[in-house]
Amino acid sequence: MHLGTSISIGGAESGEPFKHHYQPLQTMEHEDEEVPLEALTDGPPSLDKVLHDTDKTSRVFRNLSTALANWGIETHGSVNLNFASLLSSDPYLGGSHHIHVRRIAPVPPEARTDVRLYQMFLVWFSANMNILAFSTGSAGPLFFGLGARDSIVIVFLVDLIVCAIPAYFAVFGPKLGTRGMVQSRFSWGYYGSILPSVLNVFSMQGFLILNCIIGGQTLASVSDQLNDTLGIVIIGVISLVVTFCGYKVIHWYESIAWIPNVITFIVMLGIGGKHLHASAPPPTPATAASVLSFVSTVASSVISWCTMTPDYGVYHDGSASSMRIFIYTYLGFFTSSITGHMIGAAFAAAAPSVPSWTTGLGNGNDVGGLIAAILSPAGNFGKFLTAILALSIPSACAPTMYTFSTSFMTVAPFFARIPRYVFIIISEAVLIPVAVVGATRFYTTFVDILSVIGYWSTAFAAIIFAEHFIFRKNKFSLYDIDDWDQPRRLPPGFAAVLAFLGAFGIIVPSMSQAWYTGPFARAGTGDIGIETGFIAAGLLYVCFRRVERRFYHVGRLR
């Protein structure tokens, strides 16, 4: 029996319980906008297709998804959030809301109507204005043996350039309505895109591990009653709760999460600024190898966001200027990254000259202890700020964990049928034990994870850019979004996969890691895998793609 083409599950204002009646969908993203469900899916779905198809989810998942949806929690990748209106008077979060299931399908143009482009600034400003950026900057003096001046110059130049990469990727979200791994199908092909999707799953998990280690250490430094393990668990659970609620709550959370971090960094400068001029000179002069290796670490920390920045603009105004979207995102990345990186480098370089800071660092792996030591003159207020700084780490974890789930759903159609919260729980189960182990060797773990993520994501970015700027001539109209799940209408992906694998032919000899150092790096270049990988992947893709197009024409690109 066909019961309608949409599902109504209560309302944000009425607070009605779940009712077994079905009405035409009146509201999608905004309370005054009508968007039929036919525009959101491949056709008019019956009730069974949306929630009761036993071929798609088990009975347990169906029941749990229904219960969660009754509270406005997103389960498959796109749902309105009832309780968000309790947190904000924003009209975009209030009104009568309904559940709809889109999973990873592109958001149609009529649903991309959110004109609040400043959110593109806030989400990435909050995600980077935190301890992770501080830790990245501190790696210059503490891990690579660079002085404060060298470290600050490096982070300024690197941030100025590489922030443009994730910023431009963010444009794909509003313009195409596609999440990052779905958009990659237009260059990698349907089956070829499985490779970056799998790599992105592991990369997002690596980011989560780093963030939870830093947050856990910082929280543990506040009290003797806490240790790193308990701190990691607390940060992980908070991140789980925020991510569990979905897209809109993440955007709401990111709009305020930056505030305590900015206050804390200002107080840190006020208290510890007098010691920064006394930074001890590095024990040995900077070498090309140490400089280039630090460049790669900083670049990796920024470029690796490119695989997820499209995900957080898929509901924003698709008619907005690409330049406006780019500028909002670029400024969000640059202002937060440069601040965190410079402050981290400055305090880390001065730490050997201040006994209490040296003690806080412990064996050189406790960034949270360093921050607590810097704020210790403020007494209990300093402890409070340290705790708040640690508890704001989910501003980086939440979008990362969300993209972990959507990337998992992109790997294969089977995974897209599983509710998103299942992947979040899996991520949490893996995250905590690995973070506990990695915390004992923080900087080695930190540099290794960031670098490995940077190697592949840089090559990935070069391939996406080559396709977009050279073959699609920077024209979004040349993307036929209806082909997103049609393998025969997408590129075969041979060019992207071969270019990617070929790039690693130069990346591997250029690597310099604790577990492997390539011949180029041993010759004194340091870690230049990111730079060589980006160039090689772009050039190889252009060559292979031209050959591929001669034998295979798809979609609007001929």
Side-chain angles (χ1 to χ4, degrees):
M1 179 177 66
H2 182 71
L3 297 177
T5 61
S6 62
I7 309 162
S8 175
I9 302 187
E13 295 175 347
S14 65
E16 295 179 2
F18 177 74
K19 295 182 178 180
H20 295 280
H21 67 273
Y22 305 93
Q23 304 168 357
L25 187 64
Q26 297 298 320
T27 304
M28 190 206 141
E29 290 304 312
H30 312 304
E31 60 183 4
D32 297 325
E33 176 182 323
E34 292 189 4
V35 180
L37 190 60
E38 290 88 338
L40 309 182
T41 60
D42 295 331
S46 65
L47 174 62
D48 287 344
K49 181 176 179 59
V50 178
L51 284 180
H52 296 279
D53 189 340
T54 57
D55 291 334
K56 292 187 176 181
T57 52
S58 69
R59 183 176 300 276
V60 173
F61 286 160
R62 289 203 315 272
N63 293 339
L64 183 56
S65 295
T66 299
L68 292 173
N70 188 36
W71 288 90
I73 295 176
E74 177 184 333
T75 58
H76 277 79
S78 185
V79 97
N80 288 295
L81 301 168
N82 295 342
F83 69 89
S85 60
L86 301 177
L87 305 176
S88 172
S89 59
D90 192 325
Y92 289 96
L93 295 178
S96 176
H97 294 296
H98 305 262
I99 181 175
H100 56 78
V101 179
R102 182 177 293 116
R103 295 184 173 93
I104 57 172
V107 177
E110 60 269 25
R112 284 178 258 141
T113 55
D114 194 336
V115 297
R116 299 170 298 170
L117 294 181
Y118 62 84
Q119 286 188 334
M120 308 291 282
F121 170 87
L122 289 174
V123 69
W124 302 117
F125 183 82
S126 286
N128 288 277
M129 179 61 77
N130 55 37
I131 316 175
L132 184 61
F134 181 95
S135 302
T136 303
S138 69
L142 296 179
F143 189 80
F144 295 104
L146 299 173
R149 184 183 63 180
D150 293 335
S151 298
I152 288 173
V153 170
I154 289 170
V155 298
F156 174 77
L157 293 176
V158 173
D159 286 339
L160 185 67
I161 297 170
V162 301
C163 285
I165 295 177
Y168 193 85
F169 266 77
V171 178
F172 288 115
K175 289 298 181 181
L176 301 179
T178 53
R179 292 169 175 83
M181 292 299 103
V182 172
Q183 193 277 332
S184 70
R185 293 179 177 179
F186 292 92
S187 50
W188 289 73
Y190 186 87
Y191 299 107
S193 67
I194 294 174
L195 177 58
S197 295
V198 170
L199 290 173
N200 207 39
V201 168
F202 285 102
S203 297
M204 296 301 102
Q205 193 67 14
F207 258 134
L208 288 168
I209 291 168
L210 291 181
N211 280 305
C212 282
I213 290 174
I214 300 169
Q217 288 180 340
T218 306
L219 196 58
S221 67
V222 174
S223 171
D224 294 335
Q225 304 302 315
L226 294 172
N227 56 26
D228 291 355
T229 299
L230 183 57
I232 288 170
V233 171
I234 293 172
I235 299 301
V237 170
I238 295 174
S239 301
L240 173 69
V241 171
V242 175
T243 311
F244 206 77
C245 297
Y247 182 93
K248 281 186 173 291
V249 163
I250 290 175
H251 265 293
W252 173 83
Y253 177 75
E254 299 293 346
S255 69
I256 60 172
W258 59 272
I259 298 173
N261 293 342
V262 170
I263 294 173
T264 302
F265 283 149
I266 292 173
V267 174
M268 287 173 62
L269 289 171
I271 294 175
K274 60 186 177 182
H275 298 293
L276 298 183
H277 70 279
S279 299
T284 58
T287 63
S290 60
V291 168
L292 290 174
S293 295
F294 184 48
V295 166
S296 293
T297 299
V298 176
S300 295
S301 71
V302 177
I303 294 175
S304 49
W305 288 103
C306 73
T307 62
M308 57 191 294
T309 50
D311 297 17
Y312 301 94
V314 293
Y315 289 106
H316 285 78
D317 185 9
S319 64
S321 163
S322 297
M323 183 57 69
R324 285 186 63 204
I325 299 170
F326 172 82
I327 290 175
Y328 272 118
T329 310
Y330 178 83
L331 291 177
F333 272 103
F334 180 72
T335 55
S336 57
S337 296
I338 195 68
T339 302
H341 291 164
M342 284 189 172
I343 292 176
F347 278 107
S353 302
V354 184
S356 62
W357 296 3
T358 304
T359 302
L361 268 173
N363 61 357
N365 285 300
D366 193 347
V367 177
L370 172 61
I371 292 173
I374 295 169
L375 291 170
S376 60
N380 289 333
F381 179 63
K383 290 184 177 182
F384 171 76
L385 289 179
T386 303
I388 293 298
L389 190 65
L391 294 174
S392 66
I393 274 289
S395 64
C397 291
T400 304
M401 192 176 285
Y402 185 92
T403 296
F404 171 90
S405 64
T406 57
S407 295
F408 221 131
M409 296 167 76
T410 311
V411 171
F414 168 78
F415 293 122
R417 298 168 184 167
I418 300 174
R420 184 180 56 80
Y421 58 79
V422 174
F423 297 113
I424 294 174
I425 294 172
I426 293 173
S427 172
E428 187 79 3
V430 174
L431 163 66
I432 292 176
V434 176
V436 170
V437 173
T440 59
R441 298 172 65 248
F442 171 69
Y443 274 108
T444 301
T445 305
F446 178 80
V447 172
D448 284 353
I449 290 179
L450 271 189
S451 297
V452 171
I453 294 173
Y455 295 143
W456 86 263
S457 59
T458 302
F460 171 85
I463 291 170
I464 298 294
F465 279 157
E467 174 70 24
H468 181 70
F469 288 106
I470 296 177
F471 297 102
R472 299 186 189 262
K473 301 176 176 60
N474 195 24
K475 295 180 180 178
F476 294 98
S477 60
L478 292 180
Y479 293 86
D480 193 341
I481 300 304
D482 292 336
D483 295 341
W484 74 277
D485 61 347
Q486 304 296 319
R488 294 181 180 274
R489 299 287 297 168
L490 293 166
F494 300 127
V497 173
L498 290 175
F500 184 77
L501 296 178
F504 270 85
I506 191 70
I507 290 175
V508 172
S510 305
M511 292 169 54
S512 177
Q513 297 298 314
W515 42 273
Y516 173 78
T517 301
F520 296 167
R522 283 199 303 268
T525 65
D527 192 336
I528 55 172
I530 286 179
E531 297 89 338
T532 57
F534 184 85
I535 296 171
L539 292 177
L540 287 173
Y541 181 76
V542 171
C543 296
F544 291 142
R545 185 73 168 110
R546 290 191 187 280
V547 174
E548 186 180 74
R549 288 185 64 197
R550 292 187 64 178
F551 298 97
Y552 195 92
H553 294 276
V554 295
R556 297 175 185 171
L557 183 60
R558 301 207 178 259

